[in-house]
Amino acid sequence: MMKTVAFILFLLVNLKSFGQESKKPSSQPDMAIQLDFGSAQAVTNLLAKTKTTDAELDEIAKLYGNQQLIRKVTSYNKTGTEAAFKQTLREMVETGTVKGNDPFEWKAVKAKLPEIKTLVRQLETKASFIEDVKALISPYSPATLPVKARACFLVGGGALGFTIGGDDTFNVALQKIGDDYEGLVYLVAHELYHTIQQVGERHRTNGKTAANPPKHIDNAYTLLANLWSEGSATLVGDFTKIKQPGGFSKEQQEQYDRNGQRSRQNFALFESLLFSAFHDSTANLSELYNIGFTVAFDETSYFMGYRMAKVIEEYRGKDVLAGLITKDPIEFCQIYRAIYTQFPDKNIIRFSGSTEAILTRMEAWKDKL
């Protein structure tokens, strides 16, 4: 039986890192981050072969990261089961292709195999990786909030980066990155920030009695919470700051540019979704979410939230954004609203009257959800 050696590197910010004492400045968050390359290594090593066994496939499928991948693929494609993971992976290894349904996108992985291997080697040997990520997220994170997170590097599936439930693990699909190391740093910063947001949410709601809001409040809150979380994370991992972008980073910068050119339309679209969520009891929240926060419509609400976060950073500072980690997401919109009210002569996109009315009515539920 093959023995899979998972390359797992622990970086404890306030202990020792790479054999040297790491002194954490008081302004930096207290983070312990585990990097797990085991799943990516196992699959890429297998794809370099021409034969495999049931035992080998079973062992690879049971790896922590690949279990995360299977759960994610199954969430949007019911054929993406563990059995399909093993069957299609065997087909890819032994025939060089997947003729039928390919829910884990092994053909795309195989095509990028040399680039993936190069990137994994960089991750294994580049001691500064986690420091590069921390440099992006530290200014936007509260120093008093201890965070433990696991970064799991995978290959396969359609998602670029994802988290599942309340697990403090964020997952990144390396076949989407190619050999763009700097792009990976920014993507990991985005996903790690979501983990910090999850920790902040637990801290905020700890000890509270669970609220049972009306459906329209719950639906509106879901959209507003995602507007804050994705917008803030898109600012933390801001691809526009990369001066010499690789292929993946160029694609991300093009998405920033497209959405920047239609900022007012992005606002109007999200506000229409919010209006429907709040006022229409028959509205399908999943479809509203998909319009605003998935690639089906170019993740337009990510970039509305990003623009709002940039305005807050400019007029209130990074510390205010860091403070929002442990506050109700509605506060994100209220701070933005206060800024454009204070500076009416600036080029700041204002909410519509109906959105302002919804936010006012949501205030009664602030800190209860």
Side-chain angles (χ1 to χ4, degrees):
M1 181 181 294
M2 177 201 69
K3 293 187 180 296
T4 302
V5 180
F7 185 99
I8 300 177
L9 177 60
F10 292 90
L11 297 111
L12 301 181
V13 177
N14 57 344
L15 296 176
K16 291 186 177 181
S17 178
F18 297 99
Q20 296 180 349
E21 195 73 24
S22 176
K23 296 182 179 179
K24 179 177 68 67
S26 59
S27 61
Q28 288 193 358
D30 181 11
M31 289 187 291
I33 304 171
Q34 176 185 341
L35 303 183
D36 184 348
F37 310 109
S39 296
Q41 286 180 320
V43 173
T44 53
N45 288 342
L46 184 63
L47 287 174
K49 300 180 179 180
T50 56
K51 289 290 183 182
T52 186
T53 65
D54 290 343
E56 188 173 40
L57 290 167
D58 286 341
E59 186 171 356
I60 291 174
K62 293 300 183 186
L63 290 173
Y64 174 83
N66 286 331
Q67 287 293 303
Q68 294 279 101
L69 175 63
I70 291 166
R71 287 177 63 192
K72 179 62 178 179
V73 173
T74 304
S75 73
Y76 62 81
N77 184 340
K78 299 305 180 185
T79 69
T81 62
E82 183 173 322
F85 176 96
K86 292 185 287 188
Q87 183 270 319
T88 54
L89 186 55
R90 178 192 290 276
E91 188 178 354
M92 191 74 232
V93 170
E94 297 185 349
T95 71
T97 190
V98 178
K99 292 183 179 179
N101 185 32
D102 185 17
F104 294 92
E105 302 190 15
W106 298 130
K107 286 182 283 189
V109 173
K110 181 76 171 182
K112 289 288 186 72
L113 203 56
E115 295 177 11
I116 294 169
K117 285 181 171 291
T118 297
L119 191 57
V120 171
R121 282 195 297 270
Q122 284 185 287
L123 290 169
E124 291 173 345
T125 59
K126 199 170 179 67
S128 65
F129 176 77
I130 200 62
E131 296 303 322
D132 293 339
V133 172
K134 281 173 51 191
L136 298 178
I137 65 175
S138 292
Y140 302 95
S141 305
T144 57
L145 190 69
V147 174
K148 292 183 179 181
R150 181 175 190 161
C152 203
F153 298 95
L154 314 171
V155 291
L160 175 58
F162 63 92
T163 58
I164 295 179
D167 191 343
D168 291 338
T169 298
F170 57 96
N171 304 276
V172 176
L174 295 181
Q175 81 275 7
K176 305 283 185 176
I177 313 298
D179 57 0
D180 188 350
Y181 172 83
E182 192 170 8
L184 180 62
V185 169
Y186 277 74
L187 176 61
V188 169
H190 179 118
E191 297 300 335
L192 175 56
Y193 200 65
H194 283 323
T195 298
I196 294 171
Q197 290 169 334
Q198 289 177 346
V199 174
E201 174 70 5
R202 290 198 295 268
H203 178 82
R204 183 179 71 83
T205 59
N206 186 35
K208 288 186 178 181
T209 302
N212 187 24
K215 181 181 177 182
H216 70 287
I217 296 292
D218 194 39
N219 286 353
Y221 184 86
T222 297
L223 294 182
L224 291 170
N226 278 281
L227 182 70
W228 161 70
S229 65
E230 295 296 358
S232 299
T234 302
L235 176 64
V236 170
D238 189 347
F239 280 86
T240 66
K241 295 179 180 177
I242 298 178
K243 302 303 182 186
Q244 295 180 314
F248 169 70
S249 297
K250 285 180 181 177
E251 292 175 0
Q252 299 303 305
Q253 289 182 352
E254 289 168 0
Q255 189 179 20
Y256 277 75
D257 183 58
R258 284 195 306 275
N259 279 283
Q261 292 181 32
R262 59 168 182 245
S263 290
R264 292 187 181 277
Q265 290 78 21
N266 285 353
F267 271 68
L269 176 59
F270 177 83
E271 291 183 278
S272 297
L273 301 175
L274 182 65
F275 187 91
S276 180
F278 192 83
H279 291 289
D280 183 357
S281 62
T282 67
N284 184 323
L285 180 62
S286 293
E287 291 306 321
L288 299 180
Y289 173 87
N290 288 340
I291 292 170
F293 295 98
T294 72
V295 294
F297 282 86
D298 210 17
E299 299 175 325
T300 55
S301 295
Y302 279 52
F303 294 94
M304 173 181 169
Y306 165 75
R307 187 178 181 104
M308 291 169 61
K310 286 191 73 173
V311 167
I312 292 172
E313 179 180 30
E314 179 179 355
Y315 288 89
R316 296 288 190 268
K318 293 182 176 67
D319 288 347
V320 169
L321 287 170
L324 288 173
I325 289 289
T326 54
K327 294 183 180 178
D328 189 285
I330 298 170
E331 187 74 15
F332 176 66
C333 291
Q334 296 293 34
I335 293 172
Y336 179 81
R337 181 182 179 184
I339 292 170
Y340 71 64
T341 301
Q342 182 181 357
F343 300 99
D345 58 327
K346 301 297 183 181
N347 184 30
I348 302 174
I349 301 173
R350 301 174 67 93
F351 295 142
S352 66
S354 63
T355 296
E356 291 190 344
I358 290 171
L359 291 172
T360 298
R361 292 174 65 181
M362 293 291 291
E363 277 291 311
W365 289 89
K366 188 177 172 182
D367 298 325
K368 294 180 183 178
L369 297 166

